[in-house]
């Protein structure tokens, strides 16, 4: 059968349908269907198609082992958030997950509870504390709590060659009560990188590039599913417009003053058993 505008989509779908792996077959036939529908529904012009090719080429050129413009593209389309929703922890009272983001490193220094992750660039001091529990609310002793955050100068340590290594990151282990506590800075909203093609796209769409103020956490314990999440400052003005759609109601935390005037964030974490 020769190809016509009417049968093209089905021809592509059936050509992809010969893939022996059922999941590969499912992913690529669906992708072909949706892409063809998009082109048909929008009546895509040659110039628009070319612009898309140029845009994706620029995204690729901007991506390497230090910067992932493709992940940022996925983030601003809400695809990263959607994949997180579909694959998040399923369990009663389980703490919700949130984007990992591009600035996680797995070998941050192991610190003692009470230590500060601020090695450079002081901000407004914040005591972060909480309890890690598992099934039925039992405390998880020796759970690992990894914390990372933007520094007060507006950069993560990987973004600023002059920053002290591991500034604003650390690993903590929970005590016999499942508790962890540390000092950090109050988080603030910041812009995702806008000097690349995704920044140009945000500009074209007139989208605010700001992320809501957050602290990243990754919490893991033996026998439990590791959790990647973020704590959000309840007083941040970007909560409803977070550029990567990362804010979840259950993760929004009111920061309060403790006796000596220090700001405190309490963030408890409930993990789900590994299956
Ligand atoms: C972050 O929270 O660090 C982040 C997440 C997505 C894109 C850029 C930064
Ligand atoms: Fe972040």
């Amino acid at each position: 059968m020769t190809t016509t505008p009417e049968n093209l989509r089905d021809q592509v779908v059936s050509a992809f349908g010969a893939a022996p792996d059922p999941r590969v077959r499912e992913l690529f036939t669906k992708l072909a269907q949706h892409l063809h529908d998009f082109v048909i529904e929008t009546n895509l012009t040659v110039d628009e198609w070319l612009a898309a090719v140029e845009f994706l080429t620029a995204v690729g050129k901007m991506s390497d082992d230090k910067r992932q413009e493709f992940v940022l593209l996925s983030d601003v389309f809400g695809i990263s958030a959607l994949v997180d929703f579909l694959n998040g922890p399923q369990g009663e009272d389980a703490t919700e997950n949130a984007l990992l983001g591009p600035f996680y490193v797995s070998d941050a220094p192991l610190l003692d509870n009470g230590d500060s992750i601020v090695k450079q660039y002081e901000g407004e001091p914040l005591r972060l504390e909480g309890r890690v529990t598992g099934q039925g609310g039992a405390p998880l002793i020796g759970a690992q709590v990894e914390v990372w955050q933007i520094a007060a100068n507006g950069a993560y340590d990987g973004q600023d060659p002059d920053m002290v290594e591991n500034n604003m990151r650390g690993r903590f282990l929970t005590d016999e009560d499942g508790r962890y506590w540390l000092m950090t800075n109050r988080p603030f909203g910041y812009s995702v990188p806008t000097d690349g093609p995704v920044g140009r796209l945000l500009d074209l769409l007139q989208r605010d590039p700001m992320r809501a103020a957050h602290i990243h956490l990754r919490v893991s314990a033996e026998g439990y599913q590791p959790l990647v999440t973020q704590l959000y400052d309840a007083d941040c003005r970007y909560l409803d417009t977070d550029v990567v759609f990362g804010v979840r109601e259950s993760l929004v935390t009111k920061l309060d003053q403790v006796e000596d005037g220090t700001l405190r964030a309490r963030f408890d974490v409930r993990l789900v058993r590994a299956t």
Side-chain angles (χ1 to χ4, degrees):
M1 197 201 304
T2 57
T3 304
T4 66
E6 290 74 33
N7 72 18
L8 172 60
R9 176 179 175 274
D10 291 346
Q11 279 197 349
V12 175
V13 170
S14 83
F16 286 13
D21 182 309
R23 182 62 175 161
V24 169
R25 198 159 61 230
E26 181 182 16
L27 291 174
F28 283 91
T29 53
K30 284 273 182 236
L31 186 61
Q33 278 172 14
H34 287 287
L35 285 176
H36 276 255
D37 284 345
F38 170 79
V39 174
I40 293 165
E41 283 168 26
T42 59
N43 241 317
L44 201 73
T45 66
V46 173
D47 282 351
E48 288 161 349
W49 174 81
L50 262 179
V53 170
E54 276 165 18
F55 175 75
L56 289 174
T57 305
V59 171
K61 284 186 177 165
M62 199 94 197
S63 300
D64 57 24
D65 58 343
K66 298 220 162 41
R67 171 149 178 189
Q68 244 305 344
E69 194 78 355
F70 267 117
V71 175
L72 186 59
L73 183 60
S74 157
D75 294 344
V76 303
F77 263 85
I79 299 298
S80 311
L82 182 54
V83 172
D84 268 359
F85 273 132
L86 293 175
N87 296 281
Q90 310 282 321
E92 213 184 311
D93 300 329
T95 302
E96 275 191 279
N97 58 341
L99 305 187
L100 179 68
F103 302 112
Y104 170 69
V105 302
S106 59
D107 56 351
L110 185 62
L111 303 177
D112 291 326
N113 280 307
D115 283 353
S116 177
I117 61 169
V118 186
K119 299 193 178 75
Q120 199 183 13
Y121 308 121
E122 295 289 334
E124 185 178 354
L126 173 74
R127 178 183 158 101
L128 169 62
E129 61 184 47
R131 206 157 166 252
V132 181
T133 53
Q135 214 166 21
L140 293 179
I141 303 165
Q144 177 172 267
V145 181
E146 295 165 90
V147 179
W148 68 104
Q149 196 183 327
I150 197 163
N153 72 337
Y156 278 89
D157 61 349
Q159 292 179 301
D160 175 357
D162 297 327
M163 198 179 291
V164 171
E165 207 184 346
N166 289 315
N167 187 34
M168 303 304 291
R169 35 176 108 245
R171 285 187 295 134
F172 299 84
L173 299 178
T174 54
D175 71 3
E176 58 286 350
D177 231 4
R179 294 186 190 279
Y180 71 94
W181 64 100
L182 57 118
M183 291 303 298
T184 181
N185 290 333
R186 182 182 197 152
F188 51 87
Y190 64 86
S191 169
V192 295
T194 54
D195 57 340
V198 174
R200 290 201 294 281
L201 177 67
L202 292 175
D203 199 37
L204 181 71
L205 300 172
Q206 300 253 302
R207 284 193 57 200
D208 192 337
M210 298 300 281
R211 284 233 56 206
H214 61 275
I215 299 175
H216 294 269
L217 295 103
R218 182 179 184 278
V219 183
S220 50
E222 217 183 305
Y224 285 83
Q225 294 171 26
L227 174 76
V228 172
T229 191
Q230 296 179 28
L231 166 174
Y232 291 92
D233 180 347
D235 289 321
C236 174
R237 66 192 167 105
Y238 302 113
L239 288 177
D240 295 335
T241 56
D242 183 47
V243 66
V244 298
F245 309 96
V247 181
R248 311 280 168 264
E249 181 83 43
S250 69
L251 304 177
V252 174
T253 305
K254 183 81 191 148
L255 310 186
D256 51 9
Q257 306 265 346
V258 284
E259 307 79 58
D260 65 358
T262 312
L263 212 51
R264 180 186 67 162
R266 168 133 198 183
F267 191 74
D268 294 335
V269 173
R270 174 72 61 90
L271 295 183
V272 174
R273 274 205 174 282
T275 43

